[in-house]
Amino acid sequence: MADQKTSLTRRSFLRSSALAGGGLMISFSWLSAFKFPDAMAPELADWAELTGYIKITPDNLIKILNPNPEFGQNVMTSLPMIVAEELDADWKQVLVEMGPHDNVKLGPQFTGGSNSVRMYWKPLREAGAAARQMLIEAASQSWAVPAAEITTKAGMLYHEKSAKQGTYGSVATKASTLPIPKGMKLKDAKDFKVVRSSTKNVEGQKIVTGAPLFGLDYHMEGMLIAMIEHPPAFGMKLKSFDASEALKMPGIKDVFSQKLYEDDFEQGGFDTRSFNDLLVLVGNNTWQVMKARKKLKVEWEPAGETKDIIAGRGQKREVVVPAELESTEAQLKKMQEWAAKPAPQLRKDGDPEAAFKNAAQVIERIYNAPFLAHNCMEPMNFFAHVTDDKALVAGPIQAPGWSEPTLAKLLNLPADKIEIQMTRMGGGFGRRAYGQYLYEAALISKKVKAPIKLVYSREDDMTYGIYRPMYTATYRAALDANKNLIGFHVKGGGIPEHAIHANRFPAGTLDNYLAEGWAIPSNITIGAFRAPRSNFNAAAEQSFLDELAEAMGKDPIDLRLELLQKGKESPVGQNNDYDADRYAGVLKLVREKSGWGKSENKKYSRGVAAYFCHNSYAAHVVDIVMKNGQPYVERVFSAIDCGIVINPDAAINMVQGAVVDGIGNAFYGGLTHKEGRVSQNNFHSYRIIRMNEAPKKIEVHFVQSDIDPTGLGEPPFPPVFGAVANALYRATGQRLYQQPYAPQLNNRRAF
């Protein structure tokens, strides 16, 4: 394929801002001055938290740059839709292009934390509204009519009194000479025409026809392929190697060792290193390098205790990485020991100790979950071409701005000499927020003085770390003689972090509440995994609430609604981080849409769960039937409150994807270790959900709201685990306390 790269670089973008033949180019910056010195090279506008680019040609073609990386959540469509709405553009006339990496001009450019739409909602609306007003002003001057009398619709300008009309493109050049207005009035939600309309994915045709979009598609003439042989176990490092046989293999150019970080290197907040000593093979193509790698003779040795200096996220700290070769059995035993110890207090309301002491009944349950691998369908990869004075890197990365400072330090280059091109990602889920594979590619290119593409095999990907942590949590409830809930205690731990969100529901609904958390250090590297921490916290909490409702003789939805009513009318504490009304709203909606309690649904074993995270609310009812003697999730009803839904089709797809992902991980997900080695290194041993196991029906409903958009990629995921567990109980009579669920149902150990 031809070189895949955006036509605009951070250095050339402003210089090429106006199209040949005239046009309007508007760019918005988070920092720069608010003026245009001339028509052909507009400066950046000074908008607080504003970013986005709009380009209009004389023939009325509108190009909108998408600022954020795309890994399937459809921001390539939804973010430009926000601009087009306030611009009053005809969506059929809009072209969308991935913007260049430039945190100054395009803002955070971070895809993660379900923040894309939320953080760009207002800035992109202001961008579109300002551009529309400039076009109106240009038409007003050209037609000699008052600007207040000009209206717009679908990329056209109208002056009713004079019967004059024209396209945006007809006045675009003149508009580009005008100052950018500030403080434009934005549309009322009731007037939206583009936003809230189902719109097809702008890259859909390219995806289904196999057009080059992804990092693995990237190619440059003369490019070599690199792969890394890493230690077989966490806690080990390279001792020595003999590459003589590998170097005899066809197409092999070089084999060498390379450090990722030198001693005392100061890492950024999202930097990581599973293995620091890299054994690199470089050759003409992937197959040749993979075959040569098998010819390596390598000795490994214990890495010993190491120290990392982390200087991101507003603080500088030293992290001690233990030397142990860890095994799952020992980890489970260690977590049991730590769970029995006193733990740091995260929140305390009232007198929970007295409530438990005086309780007529105490219910206590322990929940466990293993490490999880991200398993992006596109394994890690990155292209790099590094010379003495500049660097070009390209590939799938969620947070290029977080990686750029570290890359600049590693290469000893100023940031303005580094160009990062963002390709579409074949999955992310948090894994691609950590840019060590980008750094590896750049260092390899610098060493071999050639353009290279670093490629991980699936086995590399699954054994290299950045997993969802291993978690445990103990939940306790105190009931009085009348089955009233008088105390609640959650104590969570994990390797190497716990999952407890102390200020979330049911905190704030109980007079006596205690939350505690602890963590065990580990050399197994972890990172954000779709809805970090929440994905376990919701599973345990929602399973426990279901069991609690049964002990209290209450319907599980009714119990949750009663607690939320208390949280609304007389909340306890000041730091409750959820809105009780919105939380209750998704429960009521899913109860209605699923026909909860209706006789016609009695053939299903039903489970419910709801959760708040990433500023949004999600509830699911899962319906299980027995199929060939095994439980099968046949139907799911989902209710979501994420504020205004930009693109309903894409939003439904995202929720359905989260549901299938959650079911698969709940039933099958689990990564284990023995003497530091990963026991599952590919899909033959790491079970994921199969097509015939996906539900026949996933019915998604959104709370109709004019609230500004909140998160959507992650919030539907966590409550799936609890809803599945609760449905499985009704199907099998078995309460499940350990993930994954399937091995327990088959009377085998889960992990």
Short mmCIF file of all heavy atoms in Angstrom, two decimals, residues 515-544:
data_model
loop_
_atom_site.label_atom_id
_atom_site.label_comp_id
_atom_site.label_asym_id
_atom_site.label_seq_id
_atom_site.Cartn_x
_atom_site.Cartn_y
_atom_site.Cartn_z
N ALA A 515 -15.81 1.88 54.48
CA ALA A 515 -15.08 1.37 53.32
C ALA A 515 -13.60 1.39 53.62
O ALA A 515 -13.07 2.39 54.13
CB ALA A 515 -15.39 2.21 52.09
N GLU A 516 -12.90 0.29 53.30
CA GLU A 516 -11.47 0.17 53.53
C GLU A 516 -10.81 -0.42 52.27
O GLU A 516 -11.46 -1.12 51.50
CB GLU A 516 -11.19 -0.74 54.72
CG GLU A 516 -11.80 -0.24 56.03
CD GLU A 516 -11.71 -1.27 57.14
OE1 GLU A 516 -12.21 -2.40 56.94
OE2 GLU A 516 -11.13 -0.96 58.19
N GLY A 517 -9.52 -0.16 52.11
CA GLY A 517 -8.82 -0.68 50.94
C GLY A 517 -7.36 -0.94 51.21
O GLY A 517 -6.72 -0.22 51.99
N TRP A 518 -6.81 -1.96 50.56
CA TRP A 518 -5.40 -2.31 50.70
C TRP A 518 -4.89 -2.88 49.37
O TRP A 518 -5.67 -3.27 48.50
CB TRP A 518 -5.19 -3.34 51.82
CG TRP A 518 -6.08 -4.55 51.70
CD1 TRP A 518 -7.31 -4.73 52.27
CD2 TRP A 518 -5.81 -5.75 50.96
NE1 TRP A 518 -7.84 -5.95 51.93
CE2 TRP A 518 -6.94 -6.60 51.13
CE3 TRP A 518 -4.75 -6.19 50.18
CZ2 TRP A 518 -7.02 -7.87 50.54
CZ3 TRP A 518 -4.82 -7.45 49.59
CH2 TRP A 518 -5.95 -8.27 49.77
N ALA A 519 -3.56 -2.91 49.20
CA ALA A 519 -2.99 -3.40 47.95
C ALA A 519 -1.64 -4.06 48.22
O ALA A 519 -0.89 -3.65 49.12
CB ALA A 519 -2.81 -2.26 46.96
N ILE A 520 -1.32 -5.09 47.44
CA ILE A 520 -0.07 -5.84 47.55
C ILE A 520 0.81 -5.51 46.34
O ILE A 520 0.36 -5.65 45.19
CB ILE A 520 -0.34 -7.36 47.57
CG1 ILE A 520 -1.24 -7.72 48.75
CG2 ILE A 520 0.96 -8.14 47.64
CD1 ILE A 520 -1.70 -9.18 48.74
N PRO A 521 2.05 -5.07 46.55
CA PRO A 521 2.94 -4.77 45.41
C PRO A 521 3.21 -6.02 44.56
O PRO A 521 3.15 -7.15 45.06
CB PRO A 521 4.22 -4.28 46.09
CG PRO A 521 3.80 -3.85 47.46
CD PRO A 521 2.68 -4.77 47.84
N SER A 522 3.52 -5.80 43.29
CA SER A 522 3.76 -6.90 42.38
C SER A 522 4.66 -6.43 41.24
O SER A 522 4.71 -5.24 40.92
CB SER A 522 2.42 -7.41 41.81
OG SER A 522 2.61 -8.36 40.79
N ASN A 523 5.35 -7.36 40.59
CA ASN A 523 6.11 -7.01 39.39
C ASN A 523 5.33 -7.34 38.11
O ASN A 523 5.84 -7.17 37.01
CB ASN A 523 7.48 -7.68 39.37
CG ASN A 523 7.41 -9.20 39.46
OD1 ASN A 523 6.49 -9.82 38.94
ND2 ASN A 523 8.38 -9.80 40.15
N ILE A 524 4.11 -7.80 38.27
CA ILE A 524 3.24 -8.03 37.12
C ILE A 524 2.58 -6.69 36.77
O ILE A 524 1.85 -6.12 37.57
CB ILE A 524 2.18 -9.10 37.42
CG1 ILE A 524 2.87 -10.44 37.71
CG2 ILE A 524 1.19 -9.22 36.26
CD1 ILE A 524 1.93 -11.52 38.18
N THR A 525 2.85 -6.18 35.59
CA THR A 525 2.42 -4.82 35.26
C THR A 525 0.94 -4.80 34.91
O THR A 525 0.42 -5.66 34.21
CB THR A 525 3.24 -4.28 34.07
OG1 THR A 525 3.31 -5.26 33.04
CG2 THR A 525 4.64 -3.90 34.51
N ILE A 526 0.29 -3.76 35.42
CA ILE A 526 -1.15 -3.60 35.23
C ILE A 526 -1.42 -2.24 34.61
O ILE A 526 -0.55 -1.36 34.56
CB ILE A 526 -1.93 -3.78 36.54
CG1 ILE A 526 -1.48 -2.74 37.61
CG2 ILE A 526 -1.73 -5.18 37.09
CD1 ILE A 526 -2.32 -1.53 37.74
N GLY A 527 -2.64 -2.07 34.15
CA GLY A 527 -3.04 -0.79 33.57
C GLY A 527 -4.54 -0.71 33.46
O GLY A 527 -5.27 -1.65 33.82
N ALA A 528 -5.01 0.40 32.95
CA ALA A 528 -6.44 0.62 32.80
C ALA A 528 -7.05 -0.46 31.92
O ALA A 528 -6.53 -0.79 30.86
CB ALA A 528 -6.70 2.00 32.20
N PHE A 529 -8.17 -1.01 32.38
CA PHE A 529 -8.92 -2.01 31.62
C PHE A 529 -10.36 -1.54 31.64
O PHE A 529 -10.90 -1.21 32.68
CB PHE A 529 -8.79 -3.37 32.31
CG PHE A 529 -9.39 -4.53 31.56
CD1 PHE A 529 -8.58 -5.41 30.85
CD2 PHE A 529 -10.75 -4.77 31.57
CE1 PHE A 529 -9.12 -6.49 30.17
CE2 PHE A 529 -11.30 -5.83 30.89
CZ PHE A 529 -10.49 -6.70 30.19
N ARG A 530 -11.00 -1.48 30.52
CA ARG A 530 -12.34 -0.90 30.33
C ARG A 530 -13.09 -0.71 31.66
O ARG A 530 -13.46 -1.66 32.32
CB ARG A 530 -13.15 -1.79 29.40
CG ARG A 530 -14.42 -1.15 28.88
CD ARG A 530 -15.08 -2.00 27.82
NE ARG A 530 -16.10 -1.26 27.10
CZ ARG A 530 -16.69 -1.69 26.00
NH1 ARG A 530 -16.36 -2.87 25.51
NH2 ARG A 530 -17.60 -0.96 25.40
N ALA A 531 -13.32 0.55 32.02
CA ALA A 531 -13.91 0.93 33.30
C ALA A 531 -13.05 0.45 34.46
O ALA A 531 -13.46 -0.40 35.25
CB ALA A 531 -15.34 0.43 33.44
N PRO A 532 -11.82 0.99 34.57
CA PRO A 532 -10.87 0.51 35.58
C PRO A 532 -11.48 0.49 36.97
O PRO A 532 -12.19 1.41 37.38
CB PRO A 532 -9.73 1.53 35.49
CG PRO A 532 -9.82 2.09 34.12
CD PRO A 532 -11.28 2.12 33.79
N ARG A 533 -11.18 -0.55 37.71
CA ARG A 533 -11.65 -0.78 39.08
C ARG A 533 -13.16 -1.01 39.12
O ARG A 533 -13.64 -1.92 39.79
CB ARG A 533 -11.26 0.38 40.01
CG ARG A 533 -9.75 0.58 40.14
CD ARG A 533 -9.38 1.88 40.85
NE ARG A 533 -9.92 1.94 42.19
CZ ARG A 533 -10.13 3.09 42.85
NH1 ARG A 533 -9.88 4.25 42.26
NH2 ARG A 533 -10.60 3.09 44.07
N SER A 534 -13.92 -0.18 38.40
CA SER A 534 -15.37 -0.32 38.41
C SER A 534 -15.80 -1.69 37.90
O SER A 534 -16.83 -2.23 38.33
CB SER A 534 -16.02 0.77 37.55
OG SER A 534 -15.78 2.05 38.06
N ASN A 535 -15.04 -2.26 36.95
CA ASN A 535 -15.48 -3.53 36.36
C ASN A 535 -15.52 -4.65 37.40
O ASN A 535 -16.31 -5.59 37.27
CB ASN A 535 -14.61 -3.91 35.16
CG ASN A 535 -13.13 -3.88 35.44
OD1 ASN A 535 -12.66 -4.51 36.37
ND2 ASN A 535 -12.39 -3.14 34.63
N PHE A 536 -14.68 -4.57 38.44
CA PHE A 536 -14.78 -5.54 39.53
C PHE A 536 -15.70 -5.04 40.63
O PHE A 536 -16.52 -5.79 41.16
CB PHE A 536 -13.41 -5.85 40.13
CG PHE A 536 -13.50 -6.69 41.38
CD1 PHE A 536 -13.82 -8.04 41.30
CD2 PHE A 536 -13.29 -6.14 42.64
CE1 PHE A 536 -13.94 -8.81 42.46
CE2 PHE A 536 -13.41 -6.89 43.79
CZ PHE A 536 -13.72 -8.24 43.70
N ASN A 537 -15.57 -3.78 40.98
CA ASN A 537 -16.36 -3.23 42.08
C ASN A 537 -17.85 -3.44 41.83
O ASN A 537 -18.61 -3.83 42.73
CB ASN A 537 -16.05 -1.74 42.23
CG ASN A 537 -16.50 -1.17 43.54
OD1 ASN A 537 -16.25 -1.74 44.60
ND2 ASN A 537 -17.18 -0.04 43.49
N ALA A 538 -18.30 -3.18 40.61
CA ALA A 538 -19.71 -3.34 40.27
C ALA A 538 -20.13 -4.80 40.37
O ALA A 538 -21.23 -5.12 40.84
CB ALA A 538 -19.98 -2.81 38.87
N ALA A 539 -19.27 -5.70 39.90
CA ALA A 539 -19.60 -7.12 39.93
C ALA A 539 -19.85 -7.60 41.36
O ALA A 539 -20.87 -8.25 41.65
CB ALA A 539 -18.48 -7.93 39.29
N ALA A 540 -18.92 -7.28 42.25
CA ALA A 540 -19.05 -7.72 43.64
C ALA A 540 -20.21 -7.02 44.34
O ALA A 540 -21.06 -7.66 44.97
CB ALA A 540 -17.74 -7.45 44.37
N GLU A 541 -20.26 -5.71 44.21
CA GLU A 541 -21.30 -4.93 44.90
C GLU A 541 -22.71 -5.34 44.46
O GLU A 541 -23.61 -5.55 45.29
CB GLU A 541 -21.07 -3.45 44.61
CG GLU A 541 -22.19 -2.52 45.03
CD GLU A 541 -22.15 -1.22 44.26
OE1 GLU A 541 -21.25 -0.41 44.55
OE2 GLU A 541 -22.99 -1.02 43.35
N GLN A 542 -22.91 -5.46 43.15
CA GLN A 542 -24.24 -5.76 42.66
C GLN A 542 -24.64 -7.21 42.94
O GLN A 542 -25.83 -7.50 43.12
CB GLN A 542 -24.32 -5.46 41.16
CG GLN A 542 -24.21 -3.97 40.84
CD GLN A 542 -25.41 -3.18 41.36
OE1 GLN A 542 -26.55 -3.49 41.05
NE2 GLN A 542 -25.14 -2.16 42.16
N SER A 543 -23.70 -8.11 42.99
CA SER A 543 -23.99 -9.48 43.40
C SER A 543 -24.39 -9.51 44.88
O SER A 543 -25.35 -10.19 45.26
CB SER A 543 -22.78 -10.38 43.18
OG SER A 543 -22.46 -10.48 41.82
N PHE A 544 -23.67 -8.76 45.69
CA PHE A 544 -23.96 -8.74 47.12
C PHE A 544 -25.33 -8.10 47.39
O PHE A 544 -26.10 -8.60 48.23
CB PHE A 544 -22.86 -7.98 47.86
CG PHE A 544 -23.02 -8.01 49.36
CD1 PHE A 544 -22.82 -9.19 50.07
CD2 PHE A 544 -23.37 -6.87 50.06
CE1 PHE A 544 -22.97 -9.22 51.45
CE2 PHE A 544 -23.53 -6.89 51.44
CZ PHE A 544 -23.32 -8.08 52.14
#
